[in-house]
Amino acid sequence: MTDADPDTRTLVLLRHAKAEQGSDAADDAERPLSAHGNADAAAAGAWLAHHGLLPDVVICSTARRTRQTWHGVAMGMTGSPPEGGPTGPRPTVRYEPGAYDAHPEELLSLVRTVDPTARTALLIAHNPGISLLSVLLDPEGVDDEGLRTAELAVHRFPVGWADLSRAGAPLTARHTARD
């Protein structure tokens, strides 16, 4: 799944894994992942590693469930927490408050700020914004239901991050731990 073309960029969109159901809307940003969500996040990381899609940059919403999703993904990619473990390059991780409850154009603006030298970026955010961003990048690539929890959408494009535009990044793969 890796691309040998040095000019190709890869954006992986990930809807956070399944969170515990909460009754207090004021605490929505603090809802933790469920046990199933933790397992799905690790499975998503293993899938990324298996397909050579290790990110150079991670942009993650500051909500608890997205941070926990990233931790699970990192564990699944390397078998260790994001702060330590096997040697090798660690991605730059940016926790972005603006990714919580963001519209697709706002998420696209965050992606456009990725370091120009990065080849692969992972964006972990929420629905409906993350699904709508996938549709914005490839209007024919995502079905009407959007991304499920812990679902990955891989988009590839031949321009720099700052130049990424609507309909400019075809969907090349999708994966979810649950079928």
Side-chain angles (χ1 to χ4, degrees), residues 109-130:
S109 292
L110 289 173
V111 171
R112 287 178 177 149
T113 66
V114 167
D115 182 327
T117 63
R119 309 314 299 159
T120 302
L122 171 63
L123 173 61
I124 306 171
H126 311 264
N127 259 352
I130 195 83

Side-chain angles (χ1 to χ4, degrees), residues 13-20 31-34 36-46 48 58-77 80 82 93 95 122-126 130 148-152 178:
L13 304 178
L14 173 59
R15 181 179 173 196
H16 66 79
K18 184 75 175 165
E20 294 288 344
R31 286 192 300 132
L33 290 186
S34 66
H36 192 83
N38 281 308
D40 285 350
L48 289 171
V58 176
I59 301 171
C60 184
S61 161
T62 55
R64 183 176 181 186
R65 62 189 175 274
T66 50
R67 289 180 286 124
Q68 289 178 330
T69 297
W70 163 238
H71 187 268
V73 167
M75 293 285 291
M77 288 189 311
S80 64
V93 181
Y95 293 100
L122 171 63
L123 173 61
I124 306 171
H126 311 264
I130 195 83
R148 296 163 57 177
T149 53
E151 185 169 2
L152 297 154
R178 291 172 283 135

Side-chain angles (χ1 to χ4, degrees), residues 85-106:
T87 59
R90 295 282 175 206
T92 301
V93 181
R94 292 176 26 204
Y95 293 100
E96 291 285 348
Y100 181 78
D101 203 24
H103 296 282
E105 289 285 355
E106 294 167 316

Side-chain angles (χ1 to χ4, degrees), residues 1-5 8 10 48-54 120 154 156:
M1 172 116 6
T2 58
D3 197 325
D5 183 351
T8 298
T10 302
L48 289 171
H50 179 76
H51 289 89
L53 293 169
L54 301 177
T120 302
V154 180
R156 293 186 191 265

